[in-house]
Amino acid sequence: MKNFKLKSILTALFLTGVVFAYAQQPALQYFRANDKDGLNVFETSKQNDVEFTGVKVRVGGDFAMQFQGLSQSNAGDSLTELANNFNLPTANLNLDVQLADGMRMHLRTYLSSRHHTEAYVKGGYIQIDKLDFIRKDFMSGFMNVATIRVGMDEFNYGDAHFRRSDNARAIFNPFVGNYIMDSFTTEPFAELTINTSGFIGVLGATNGRLNQSPLPGDDGFVLFGKLGYDDQINDDLRLRLTGSFYSSSDKGTRDYLYNGDRAGGRYYQLLGTQTISSSDFSPRFNPGFKYQTAFQINPFVKFKGLEFFGVFEVTSNGDDAVGGSFTQLGAEALYRFGGEEQLYLGGRFNSVSGEVADAAAARDAQRINFGGGWFMTKNVLAKVEYVKQSYDGAGWNGSQYQGAEFSGVVIEATIGF
């Protein structure tokens, strides 16, 4: 009861403060807007026209609600029957603070999520684009192309995390679900980004831990990085191509890369039976390697209203004696139209295939999405999609995933500011 009252108070304050907070929003330096203006923004630009005039606090948020109409089945006809109804709404509270010239802080709190109905901090970071807090124009030549981020939050592996739904922040995702093998986690990290003349380089490290503890026994670490090129060729054409790597050490007890989103999956109550409860994270897939090496290649092309985003990703078990690897493919094709490209139609294909060990049977999962959306304002997006996901391969035999399939229509409305 106490948690329910606290959640109700926080949610009421969040919703009633939306209009006032948005009206008072200050401009921040090197900042990705949390609305339609933030679409197709990846790393924040080194271009800046916001003058620092003192500490500024930007209070923002996200809200998302879904109506889900899905049905499911498997080889044993054992999956729970689903009803058409609303899912639990989700909400975020975002604090972004301009601390100094070229220094900004971000903090996100999940007010309500599928996996945690109570409010809790997702994570945060400090972003440094200037070192003027040391001395005016200190290392300005280097900092004109460099960005430093340090915190306990998502780090910059791959490009798919820039287009995914982060709990209620669903305004950048053209569809409802994230990718099946969802490379997203929140860990202590430090990373350096170089962005000059279209060329992008990222190098960073984390300790590989989602839940932190000073106790011995899990002394792993992770190195990650990215190389790429992103250029607006002309008024009509933009091209971007990046390649990312991720490598965790054998000192860790488990790897969180595909299991680090504590908010839960975006499709609800799937793949459960009368004896096996539906996981809050279904229908995502985690290979479950204790340590691994992964790489992801992402092409992005936008020509006028046409938009393409792709994913080619491979992850391999770091334990060579056991082996196992999975390959993920993804392709999104969208057409944005209207006077301000406020409408879009499109589709996404996503597949994951591989083995959990060299001697294991193959596992395959495929998903297709077709749908569209309408930005009623730059802060309000309504979208509808048809989704179908299926499971194949002998590696699923003996589980509820054997011959499993779900499909149907999902409608989502989201607000971001």
Side-chain angles (χ1 to χ4, degrees):
M1 181 63 69
K2 183 178 179 181
N3 285 339
F4 176 78
K5 289 181 178 178
L6 177 60
K7 175 186 169 185
S8 299
I9 292 171
L10 289 172
T11 303
L13 289 172
F14 169 70
L15 292 175
T16 56
V18 165
V19 176
F20 174 78
Y22 187 70
Q24 301 298 317
Q25 297 288 46
L28 303 182
Q29 298 176 337
Y30 311 102
F31 178 71
R32 182 190 190 187
N34 198 43
D35 54 34
K36 183 176 178 289
D37 292 340
L39 283 179
N40 299 328
V41 175
F42 296 88
E43 296 80 13
T44 53
S45 171
K46 292 301 297 184
Q47 302 299 316
N48 174 58
D49 58 4
V50 178
E51 182 183 359
F52 178 72
T53 58
V55 174
K56 291 185 173 65
V57 179
R58 184 183 180 105
V59 180
D62 310 278
F63 183 79
M65 175 178 276
Q66 304 160 344
F67 182 87
Q68 179 175 293
L70 300 179
S71 60
Q72 59 181 355
S73 62
N74 66 359
D77 197 25
S78 62
L79 295 182
T80 304
E81 183 178 354
L82 300 176
N84 301 333
N85 212 331
F86 289 95
N87 293 328
L88 175 73
T90 54
N92 300 342
L93 173 64
N94 305 318
L95 296 177
D96 291 280
V97 184
Q98 193 74 54
L99 299 170
D101 193 9
M103 179 187 289
R104 178 173 58 79
M105 183 204 79
H106 167 76
L107 178 69
R108 174 164 293 157
T109 297
Y110 292 160
L111 295 179
S112 176
S113 66
R114 178 183 177 187
H115 187 57
H116 285 276
T117 55
E118 76 281 6
Y120 71 100
V121 176
K122 171 237 179 175
Y125 60 85
I126 285 181
Q127 178 170 315
I128 300 172
D129 286 275
K130 295 181 180 180
L131 297 176
D132 287 14
F133 61 91
I134 298 176
R135 188 179 68 250
K136 179 66 176 175
D137 293 330
F138 182 73
M139 295 183 64
S140 60
F142 175 70
M143 295 307 296
N144 283 339
V145 299
T147 297
I148 301 168
R149 288 203 313 147
V150 180
M152 171 76 185
D153 205 86
E154 64 184 271
F155 51 84
N156 193 4
Y157 163 76
D159 283 352
H161 72 101
F162 291 111
R163 298 170 65 89
R164 70 185 299 280
S165 296
D166 184 11
N167 195 41
R169 192 210 64 187
I171 205 160
F172 301 140
N173 188 345
F175 302 100
V176 176
N178 296 318
Y179 283 92
I180 297 173
M181 207 161 69
D182 187 15
S183 52
F184 173 89
T185 180
T186 53
E187 300 174 1
F189 75 95
E191 68 183 32
L192 171 67
T193 301
I194 302 296
N195 193 334
T196 177
S197 301
F199 290 96
I200 301 161
V202 179
L203 185 63
T206 89
N207 71 348
R209 294 290 294 166
L210 178 67
N211 298 314
Q212 306 305 307
S213 172
L215 298 176
D218 194 350
D219 304 320
F221 64 92
V222 174
L223 291 176
F224 63 91
K226 178 186 291 187
L227 287 174
Y229 184 75
D230 187 344
D231 190 23
Q232 188 74 44
I233 305 298
N234 53 47
D235 290 343
D236 295 329
L237 178 63
R238 178 183 174 187
L239 299 176
R240 177 182 169 98
L241 178 65
T242 65
S244 302
F245 76 91
Y246 171 101
S247 181
S248 54
S249 74
D250 60 359
K251 301 298 183 182
T253 58
R254 54 180 172 168
D255 192 293
Y256 289 92
L257 180 60
Y258 303 106
N259 193 37
D261 181 11
R262 292 166 290 168
R266 301 301 292 167
Y267 303 114
Y268 285 53
Q269 302 299 325
L270 292 173
L271 303 167
T273 70
Q274 291 184 349
T275 57
I276 303 174
S277 298
S278 173
S279 167
D280 285 346
F281 304 100
S282 294
R284 296 199 318 240
F285 174 70
N286 174 26
F289 302 141
K290 291 184 178 179
Y291 53 102
Q292 60 194 324
T293 298
F295 66 86
Q296 184 178 135
I297 297 174
N298 302 111
F300 173 74
V301 180
K302 182 169 174 57
F303 178 71
K304 296 185 177 181
L306 291 173
E307 185 175 303
F308 173 82
F309 177 77
V311 176
F312 175 74
E313 184 172 23
V314 175
T315 183
S316 302
N317 193 349
D319 188 347
D320 294 333
V322 177
S325 67
F326 283 87
T327 299
Q328 173 165 244
L329 300 176
E332 295 179 13
L334 304 175
Y335 179 63
R336 300 188 186 271
F337 58 99
E340 297 180 350
E341 294 190 350
Q342 71 272 25
L343 301 166
Y344 68 86
L345 295 171
R348 175 197 285 168
F349 170 79
N350 185 201
S351 71
V352 172
S353 60
E355 302 82 28
V356 296
D358 285 344
R363 298 184 180 187
D364 299 277
Q366 291 189 355
R367 182 191 298 167
I368 57 170
N369 305 78
F370 295 104
W374 173 29
F375 281 92
M376 292 181 279
T377 75
K378 72 176 185 178
N379 301 99
V380 182
L381 169 64
K383 47 188 168 178
V384 59
E385 69 167 28
Y386 169 81
V387 58
K388 180 178 181 180
Q389 183 165 322
S390 58
Y391 295 81
D392 298 295
W396 303 115
N397 290 353
S399 72
Q400 74 268 35
Y401 299 99
Q402 183 177 348
E405 178 181 291
F406 68 85
S407 62
V409 174
V410 183
I411 302 171
E412 183 174 62
T414 182
I415 300 169
F417 66 96

